[in-house]
């Protein structure tokens, strides 16, 4: 009897030890899951901040592209109208050159803004390097903003010069032409004053609009997190994937069908 009690006591001790080890393993797995969840939430929060920057730049590009489209329509209508006979050669050349430059710059703005607003959000969303691709997309939009902005300003200046030339291209009295030029000059001064004032008060400078970005330097070490689904599909052997993707009995039927019942149900 004592021997039997001793054996039962030893077996109970082994079972308790096994249950404790399983609980520790389960607890470690759950702790790792919680830690991964915290890292994922932090990366997602940073993505929300950078999404605001992405929306800011894409909205700017869409505004420039839409305005350039309207301006290009006006300029193209001017090119379709023939220049009157007897127009001064230098005046005609200046008019056509300014109009062609304005149309070319507008088409460049339209093309660049459409491509940037199409491919940059795609890189941020489906980039192969995760959060790094998101950063690359936002930084590229930030770097291209100044060049496209200057191109847009150049098209506006060319359109203004073309409008000044067209006043003298089509015949009219000199008094009327002089009055039109005076009105255009007044509007030019007002627009330049407002432009410079906005550049200094909102942009901070005329040529450079640098400022803080939404990239969090403390989270750079977590930017190398790969896609777990893609990683497991490339690392795991094909036969193991076949076993893990094998349909579990009862997944499609509540009767606990076997492999043959599952195949026959799938064939039906």
């Amino acid at each position: 009897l004592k021997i039997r009690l001793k054996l039962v006591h030893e077996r109970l001790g082994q079972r308790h030890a096994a249950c404790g080890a399983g609980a520790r393993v389960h607890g470690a797995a759950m702790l790792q899951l919680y830690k991964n969840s915290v890292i994922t939430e932090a990366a997602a929060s940073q993505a929300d901040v950078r999404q605001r920057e992405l929306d800011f730049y894409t909205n700017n590009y869409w505004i420039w592209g839409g305005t350039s489209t309207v301006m290009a329509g006006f300029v193209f209508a001017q090119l379709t109208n023939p220049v009157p006979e007897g127009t001064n050669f230098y005046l005609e050349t200046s008019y056509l050159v300014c109009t062609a430059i304005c149309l070319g710059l507008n088409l460049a703005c339209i093309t660049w803004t459409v491509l940037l607003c199409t491919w940059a959000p795609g890189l941020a969303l489906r980039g192969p390097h995760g959060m790094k691709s998101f950063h690359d997309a936002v930084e590229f939009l930030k770097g291209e903003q100044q060049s496209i902005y200057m191109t847009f300003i150049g098209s506006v200046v060319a359109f203004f010069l073309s409008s000044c030339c067209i006043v003298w291209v089509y015949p009219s009295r000199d008094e009327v032409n002089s009055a039109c030029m005076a009105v255009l000059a007044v509007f030019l001064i007002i627009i330049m004053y407002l432009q410079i004032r906005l550049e200094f008060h909102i942009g901070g400078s005329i040529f450079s609009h640098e400022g803080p970005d939404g990239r969090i330097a403390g989270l750079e070490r977590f930017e190398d997190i790969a896609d777990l689904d893609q990683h497991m599909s490339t690392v795991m052997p094909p036969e193991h994937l076949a076993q893990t993707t094998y349909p579990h009995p009862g997944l499609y039927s509540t009767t606990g069908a076997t492999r043959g019942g599952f195949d026959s149900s799938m064939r039906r």
Side-chain angles (χ1 to χ4, degrees), residues 202-221:
I202 298 179
S205 176
I206 297 179
F207 301 103
S208 178
H209 296 165
E210 296 295 334
D213 55 14
R215 188 165 189 170
I216 302 175
L219 298 178
E220 291 183 358
R221 299 184 61 182

Side-chain angles (χ1 to χ4, degrees), residues 71-97:
M71 197 183 307
F74 290 142
V75 174
F76 183 77
Q78 292 182 8
L79 287 177
T80 56
N81 295 328
V83 179
E85 295 291 339
T87 305
N88 184 273
F89 173 77
Y90 297 103
L91 178 61
E92 180 180 359
T93 302
S94 301
Y95 167 69
L96 293 177
V97 168

Side-chain angles (χ1 to χ4, degrees), residues 155-246:
S155 66
V156 174
V157 173
F159 183 77
F160 179 81
L161 295 177
S162 175
S163 300
C164 293
C165 293
I166 201 174
V167 172
W168 299 95
V169 166
Y170 293 96
S172 182
R173 291 181 299 174
D174 293 340
E175 294 82 2
V176 176
N177 293 342
S178 300
C180 290
M181 294 299 298
V183 172
L184 290 174
V186 171
F187 275 102
L188 176 63
I189 295 173
I190 295 175
I191 292 174
M192 290 180 62
Y193 170 75
L194 294 176
Q195 179 74 18
I196 296 174
R197 184 179 180 183
L198 287 174
E199 292 283 352
F200 275 105
H201 283 76
I202 298 179
S205 176
I206 297 179
F207 301 103
S208 178
H209 296 165
E210 296 295 334
D213 55 14
R215 188 165 189 170
I216 302 175
L219 298 178
E220 291 183 358
R221 299 184 61 182
F222 302 112
E223 295 177 0
D224 294 327
I225 300 177
D227 189 348
L228 296 180
D229 183 28
Q230 183 180 3
H231 176 72
M232 294 303 296
S233 63
T234 55
V235 172
M236 295 178 63
E239 59 273 8
H240 188 65
L241 285 175
Q243 294 177 2
T244 55
T245 57
Y246 178 77

Side-chain angles (χ1 to χ4, degrees), residues 55-129:
D55 295 338
F56 167 73
Y57 292 122
T58 52
N59 290 335
N60 289 344
Y61 289 141
W62 281 125
I63 292 173
W64 292 332
T67 308
S68 298
T69 303
V70 176
M71 197 183 307
F74 290 142
V75 174
F76 183 77
Q78 292 182 8
L79 287 177
T80 56
N81 295 328
V83 179
E85 295 291 339
T87 305
N88 184 273
F89 173 77
Y90 297 103
L91 178 61
E92 180 180 359
T93 302
S94 301
Y95 167 69
L96 293 177
V97 168
C98 292
T99 306
I101 291 176
C102 181
L103 181 59
L105 294 178
N106 285 325
L107 292 177
C109 284
I110 295 171
T111 305
W112 293 342
T113 53
V114 167
L115 293 178
L116 288 172
C117 292
T118 301
W119 293 110
L123 176 62
L125 180 63
R126 305 178 60 186
H129 303 294

